[in-house]
Structure formats: structure tokens, C-alpha cells
Amino acid sequence: MSVRLELEGVSHRYARDGDPALADLSISVEPGELVALLGPSGCGKTTALKVVAGLLAPTAGDVRVDGRSVLGTPPERRRAAMVFQKPLLFPHMDVAANVGFGLRMRGAPKKDSASRVREALRQVQMESLANRRPGELSGGQQQRVALARALVTDPQLLLMDEPLSALDANLRSEMRDLVKQLQRDGGVTAVFVTHDQEEAVVLADRIALLFDGVLQMYDRPQAFYDRPASRAVAGFFGATNFLEGRAANGTVRTPLGKLRLARPAPTGDVVLTIRPEALRLEGGENSFAARIASATYLGTQVDYTLETGGARLRAALPPHVRLGVGEEVTVRLPPESLWTLER
Ligand code: ATP
């Protein structure tokens, strides 16, 4: 049975007089959901994961599994399995013994353990290497063994701390798919720490974005592109088009001119943002004359910098649209693609 994990007002300070590494974090992870804790280095992701695992006691707040606080439960009784950046396998044991270690510690019957180990190795496609030592495996294979070791104990919570960041790009995307598939198939509630925005977007049902120990936004991946909570959140997700202006009656007066919005916005000083891929080369409502200032061919798209009367905008267009530097174009900012942020 999958469990619900809740963090409520969780804070942690490493030094009594220091800044909190984690401040008042409240998120709820639904049964079987995979949540990514995302943010730059030092933002408190690992601290949060350790609090869930029971390796760190929070200075304030509560951690609940299916509504019951687990703060008094020691790590080994929380039924949480961890996977780290480094596989941390026992070098003198073979693959099967590494995977079965946790079961042996729990006194599981030998025959039962053997079949569970076999099944776990099958899931990570490592059956044929069961008798190898970790030193005889590649980095990716070692990480598969670490995953099998985590899953074989049938955990309620799967906690992963940058498990793919030591792997090269190709292997990383292959392992990403495997992690997702195993987590889905097993229905285990999972928390995945990463500083890689793309990894979080591909893997997670929801993303919790942290800056300096503070939760900035908790939502489905698409929402970080469509309706970022702040300019900083938008910037972390690659947004570069920001237009300052004054909003009133569904329009915003910007350096480009008056732009109409499709969604209601608060009256006053605002910042408008639009994704580079949402700009259109066409006339009509919210369109302006612009000049191509630079063009960078990226294979699947071309990145343009557009100079308009009062602002520079980035546009990502399909590669068949080839425009030269200096060319004059008409660019449109579709109202439904404009998102208003408070200033
Ligand atoms: P990274 O991606 O680099 O692993 P992170 O987001 O996981 O970073 P944490 O490891 O949770 O961040 O650290 C959050 C803050 O707490 C950082 O400022 C870090 O320097 C500090 N910190 C972490 N561990 C300790 C510790 N044992 N003692 C004191 N401060 C610590």
C-alpha cells in the first residue's frame, strides 16, 4: 500500500545562531507520487531528505506518514530506502549479496530472500551479473544495484539524493526512465533530490523548488513554465523575457507599448514574462516591429535576440524559419502567453 508523506512547517538549523538550512517547509506527497526537490546547490534539498529519512531531527515542524508523526521513529524503522549519488556498495560482496544485505539484517528467511533478490535484479536488468563484485561493474550498473538494494526491502518511501548526477548524459536519461518505471510499477511514494531542472521536469509528478531553504513554488512541472510564482522562479526555468509595466483594466503599459492580457492581473506595477517559444512572427494584436540582433542555430530550433523600440526579447523559432541579423520583422506577443508577475 502506498503512503502519503507530509512535511509541515519543517525547519532545520545546523548551528543554533546560524541561518536555517531549511525554513518552514510544508509539502504533501500523495501516495505513489514522485516529488522532486529542486534548487541550486546549498538550498536545503539534502537537509529536507535527511529529515524525512530520520537522519536529522528538524528544529521545528512535523513529518507524517499516513497522518502519523514519524519524528519519534528511528531511521531503520521508517521503511524509507535511500539511494545516493554514489552507490556505496560493499566491495567484498557480490551483487546478489549487496542487494540481499538489508533482508539478511532483518532476518528474512534465506529462500525467500534469494527469490526477492532475483526479482529485484531482474527489475533493474542485472540478473546476469549477480555474481560480480562492485569493482567489476560500470558506474551505471553499480547504480542499478543500489536501486535494486533499495527496492528489495519493499519500502514505503523511496528517497533519492542526486542518484543520476555522477552518470554521463546518455546513461542518465536511460536510468531516469528506469527510476520512473520502477517507481510507477511499485507504486512507492518517492522524493528525488536534484539541481537539474530538466531531470525534475522529466521525472516528477510535482516539483518543490527551494531557494535558500525557502519553498518558492510547489506544483506540476508545466506550471513552472506557464505560471511561475515569481521572476526568480521564471528565471530558474530559463525565462529571459521580462517587461516591466503598469497594469490597469486588462492591459499593461510597457516600453513596447500597450499590451493586452488574456488573464486578469492586479492593477499597478508588474512584470510581464513570455516564453521565447511563444513569440510569433506575425501581425495582429500585441504586435511590434523588431530587428534581429542575433541568431544562434541550435539544431532543433534557432534562438533569436529581437530588438524592439524599448526592449530586447528572445524568441525560439523552428529551424526552417531562417532570418538574418539586421532583418526587420513583425513580432507578436499572444495575450494568452503573457504571464503577469508582481514587481
Ligand atoms: P547540494 O545540491 O550542494 O547537495 P543541498 O541543496 O542539498 O545542496 P544542503 O546539503 O541541504 O543543500 O545544505 C543546505 C545548507 O546547510 C547549506 O548552506 C549547507 O552549507 C548547510 N549544511 C549542510 N550540512 C551541514 C552540516 N552538517 N553542518 C553545517 N551546515 C550544513
Side-chain angles (χ1 to χ4, degrees), residues 91 93-98 126 128-138 141:
M93 290 183 192
D94 69 13
V95 163
N98 265 285
M126 286 287 293
S128 59
L129 303 179
N131 299 322
R132 291 250 186 112
R133 300 268 168 107
E136 298 161 342
L137 301 176
S138 71
Q141 290 168 334

Side-chain angles (χ1 to χ4, degrees), residues 14 21 40-47 162:
Y14 286 97
S41 180
C43 73
K45 308 179 294 288
T46 298
T47 303
E162 305 252 9

